[in-house]
Amino acid sequence: MRLERRLEAAMARVKVLPEDVAKRIAAGEVIERPASCVKELVENSLDAGATRVTVELSDGGTRLIRVVDDGCGMTRDDAVTSLLRHATSKISSVEDLDSIRTLGFRGEALPSIAAVSRFVLVTRPADELAGTRLTVEGGAPLVEEIGCPPGTSVLARDIFYSLPARRKFLRSATTEAGRISDIVTALALATPRVGFKLAHNGRTVIDCPPAACLEERVTCLFGREVADKLLPVEAEEDGIRVWGLVSRVDFTRATRSMQRVFVNGRPVQDRVVSHAVFSAYENRIPPRRHPVAAIFVELDPAAVDVNIHPCKMEIRFKDERAAHSAVRHAVLAALSTPEARPQVPGESLTAPAFEAPLIPHVGSFLADEQAPLTPPRPALARTSVLGQVDDTYIVARDAKGLIIVDQHALHERILFDEIKASAHAGKVEVQPLLIPAQLEVPAERIPLLTGALSELAVLGLEVEDFGGNSFIIRSVPACAGDVEPQALLNEILDRLEGAGAASAELPNLAAEGLACAAAVKAGQPLSFEEMDALLAGLTDELIASCPHGRPAVLRLSSDELARRFGRK
Ligand SMILES: Nc1ncnc2c1ncn2[C@@H]1O[C@H](COP(=O)(O)OP(=O)(O)OP(=O)(O)O)[C@@H](O)[C@H]1O
Ligand SMILES: [Mg+2]
């Protein structure tokens, strides 16, 4: 329904908004960076009823952005008018601001893009014989009649060429390309029926044919492994329909980057919906982990204000409480279905018949006397394990008193040092995979991953670009034990994402991700031998330091015990 309504609005004549309406449009910068330019152009294509949208970039969009669609196109007059400020076909009165069903409504995107780039727009409605080409390079548009396919193509070159100060502040091409695939991914999720292509420097990063439903689109964008771990959401409360996909509680990520919110089809950042999703998962997933989610909220356009942000990235629900409650209940309902039950690996028919030791790598690197990778650690003398609490903490005693260890935190710290030391010495123990693991990487992460390939290889993680979104993992570091290679790589990418690909922190972040993924988890029961093996790596230095504010080890010395019991 929405598409037809949009198309109707887009096909109306383009007119400059009366001043009273123009004054009501949220003011601010529309084109902040190449990604905002791509966002606006693709939104226009979607509003024009396109069934296929192609985006082409050079150098992160800083040199060239081209968006081509097969939508309704524009007549010569409309095309010329579309370059005027506040010229739009999508609204015409103040009242229309309360019933916006199109992505655009301000009539600001095209003039803003034309003002900051070398701009060429070519367009033709299907029922006209000739098309129109508009060229703008700092002055009045040059208007020409030309032959062209039906639809619209916009070329924006050298964005901010006339504003050198702005251009200087653009981040690296890789970062910009990442932002652009992020926004194209969001719009592709919002409109599964539309085919999307995104190419950067001649390389295809997104290629999704028109899909029948959201699941199909998610599979194309993120791969089957992700799609299989998602649960359908579908509920309605107080006239607010909430639908989409959310992850099972056993499938979480280290960042919120795979949570997408759409309100009436518009990708937005919204703290009300995000919080509602978070609250539904609270206490079901580990702290600092985030579910994967694509949540669509559909409600009366009059119940939501889309005109509050110059980039149309935020909205305001008129009744935030109702929106929160509808989303929370919808997600809770999805999480309470039988399919939502975490899948225990032991139940799977394909589980290996033998039980791999939980922390073989601790044992292996500590016990491997022939070829120690690092100087042996001065392990604490006579530490004896007393037991495990909550399947998470190891309680032990030594000559100085009582020690309580967070099993994951300690193991992670030990592995991190180990990984860094062996990478530094060029002596990483590599475990080639008999069957290389294939991984579909979301488009926005591809630049990140390709930029990190050599760094990952140093760590023993050999990843090969397989074209499109596919990557092949050929080997993993031996310390990763039997951790799923894809999970390993995802954990590393999560960390790199926060820092940007060019970061000098890359080797450390990659090692951290690897250590975290390979380390024994909280909540895993350990045998006494396994606990002994883990504590063998405990040193005074580890007890004393806690780099990220989160300790791995707590010590209650004999003195402290005596004081607490009033003996001193
Ligand atoms: N790809 C396209 N196909 C057909 N018509 C288009 C296309 N792009 C723009 N138009 C027409 O040009 C008008 C102006 O586009 P522009 O993006 O500047 O404004 P808008 O989409 O109306 O609002 P907003 O500034 O919020 O995006 C649109 O209203 C639409 O009628
Ligand atoms: Mg627009």
Side-chain angles (χ1 to χ4, degrees):
M1 188 274 285
R2 202 176 330 110
L3 268 185
E4 283 79 62
R5 291 286 292 272
R6 270 189 198 168
L7 191 54
E8 226 172 81
M11 286 184 70
R13 297 299 310 272
V14 181
K15 288 199 216 93
V16 176
L17 289 174
E19 216 184 304
D20 61 324
V21 191
K23 273 204 316 240
R24 298 281 288 271
I25 305 286
E29 201 144 24
V30 175
I31 303 301
E32 289 177 320
R33 52 188 341 116
S36 26
C37 179
V38 172
K39 170 178 180 287
E40 294 296 339
L41 294 175
V42 174
E43 286 186 356
N44 280 349
S45 299
L46 295 173
D47 279 346
T51 65
R52 286 182 192 267
V53 181
T54 305
V55 182
E56 227 180 282
L57 311 171
S58 301
D59 297 350
T62 56
R63 235 156 58 77
L64 177 146
I65 294 171
R66 191 200 310 271
V67 176
V68 181
D69 69 49
D70 61 354
C72 65
M74 282 182 274
T75 61
R76 180 188 176 108
D77 285 354
D78 279 351
V80 171
T81 313
S82 75
L83 295 187
L84 301 175
R85 271 207 79 196
H86 292 310
T88 179
S89 59
K90 300 171 191 175
I91 64 168
S92 56
S93 67
V94 170
E95 295 76 63
D96 289 347
L97 282 172
D98 278 335
S99 55
I100 292 173
R101 292 182 185 273
T102 45
L103 295 165
F105 56 88
R106 309 155 308 176
E108 291 205 284
L110 289 184
S112 309
I113 297 167
V116 297
S117 67
R118 303 187 209 277
F119 177 93
V120 183
L121 182 148
V122 174
T123 187
R124 173 164 81 87
D127 58 359
E128 303 233 344
L129 289 176
T132 307
R133 177 164 67 198
L134 303 178
T135 311
V136 186
E137 241 177 80
L142 169 70
V143 187
E144 295 161 291
E145 188 175 290
I146 57 154
C148 63
T152 303
S153 88
V154 176
L155 173 68
R157 281 184 305 123
D158 302 327
I159 196 164
F160 301 135
Y161 75 100
S162 53
L163 305 164
R166 283 302 292 279
R167 209 174 157 84
K168 225 172 54 207
F169 284 111
L170 288 181
R171 299 251 244 135
S172 71
T174 315
T175 312
E176 295 300 325
R179 284 177 195 262
I180 293 174
S181 17
D182 189 67
I183 191 71
V184 174
T185 300
L187 289 163
L189 285 170
T191 50
R193 282 173 208 281
V194 179
F196 278 86
K197 271 198 182 141
L198 169 65
H200 183 216
N201 292 341
R203 176 205 159 98
T204 303
V205 262
I206 293 182
D207 188 359
C208 289
C213 60
L214 178 64
E215 284 85 340
E216 203 179 312
R217 181 50 49 96
V218 167
T219 308
C220 180
L221 286 167
F222 305 109
R224 178 111 324 275
E225 316 96 84
V226 172
D228 282 349
K229 292 185 174 115
L230 301 179
L231 303 163
V233 176
E234 174 67 76
E236 185 159 349
E237 185 178 298
D238 287 341
I240 304 175
R241 177 172 171 236
V242 181
W243 64 280
L245 295 167
V246 294
S247 57
R248 291 198 316 246
V249 291
D250 57 346
F251 181 51
T252 58
R253 306 296 294 259
T255 71
R256 216 173 278 142
S257 69
M258 278 183 79
Q259 279 179 29
R260 309 275 181 166
V261 176
F262 305 86
V263 175
N264 285 346
R266 180 190 303 281
V268 290
Q269 278 142 18
D270 183 69
R271 57 179 182 82
V272 174
V273 178
S274 298
H275 184 270
V277 173
F278 161 81
S279 75
Y281 278 87
E282 212 177 359
N283 298 327
R284 293 169 192 248
I285 59 175
R288 290 186 299 279
R289 300 293 299 183
H290 305 276
V292 173
I295 292 284
F296 290 75
V297 182
E298 314 270 357
L299 72 177
D300 179 355
V304 48
D305 192 351
V306 298
N307 181 29
I308 62 162
H309 188 261
C311 300
K312 302 176 288 185
M313 290 298 285
E314 290 171 23
I315 49 102
R316 187 179 299 125
F317 291 107
K318 295 195 175 149
D319 187 347
E320 294 191 341
R321 204 180 280 257
H324 188 278
S325 157
V327 173
R328 179 180 149 82
H329 290 146
V331 177
L332 281 174
L335 293 180
S336 62
T337 54
E339 303 79 65
R341 220 161 47 94
Q343 293 187 356
V344 181
E347 285 182 359
S348 137
L349 286 175
T350 54
F354 61 91
E355 280 245 352
L358 256 179
I359 39 177
H361 24 300
V362 169
S364 66
F365 80 69
L366 291 165
D368 189 2
E369 252 109 272
Q370 288 120 4
L373 290 168
T374 49
R377 287 166 176 281
L380 289 188
R382 292 188 313 280
T383 309
S384 44
V385 172
L386 301 174
Q388 196 187 17
V389 178
D390 290 345
D391 291 344
T392 298
Y393 309 103
I394 302 170
V395 183
R397 86 173 132 73
D398 68 359
K400 294 182 190 152
L402 190 67
I403 300 171
I404 307 170
V405 166
D406 178 321
Q407 64 196 36
H408 173 73
L410 175 65
H411 196 194
E412 191 180 358
R413 292 279 309 279
I414 295 175
L415 285 176
F416 177 76
D417 291 352
E418 189 67 27
I419 290 164
K420 291 289 293 175
S422 50
H424 188 69
K427 285 193 182 151
V428 176
E429 238 186 290
V430 177
Q431 184 182 312
L433 297 177
L434 283 180
I435 305 165
Q438 190 174 348
L439 179 76
E440 299 294 317
V441 177
E444 74 267 22
R445 290 188 150 194
I446 290 179
L448 200 66
L449 178 53
T450 45
L453 290 182
S454 54
E455 213 38 78
L456 294 178
V458 172
L459 297 177
L461 195 63
E462 262 176 74
V463 183
E464 206 176 285
D465 190 341
F466 209 58
N469 283 40
S470 298
F471 285 79
I472 298 279
I473 307 176
R474 298 217 173 267
S475 74
V476 296
C479 73
D482 55 0
V483 176
E484 210 194 328
Q486 289 93 337
L488 203 64
L489 191 57
N490 277 328
E491 189 68 45
I492 294 175
L493 289 178
D494 279 353
R495 277 156 213 262
L496 298 188
E497 195 164 58
S503 162
E505 277 290 280
L506 200 144
N508 268 344
L509 291 170
E512 252 178 55
L514 184 56
C516 177
V520 63
K521 302 287 173 285
Q524 274 182 8
L526 299 180
S527 69
F528 270 86
E529 295 79 72
E530 286 166 333
M531 291 193 274
D532 273 337
L534 189 51
L535 288 196
L538 190 58
T539 57
D540 274 324
E541 175 203 334
L542 268 175
I543 295 182
S545 72
C546 68
H548 306 302
R550 207 159 82 83
V553 186
L554 293 180
R555 166 174 290 255
L556 274 179
S557 65
S558 305
D559 268 359
E560 175 80 10
L561 286 171
R563 234 190 343 268
R564 297 228 175 181
F565 286 107
R567 294 183 178 278
K568 267 200 174 170

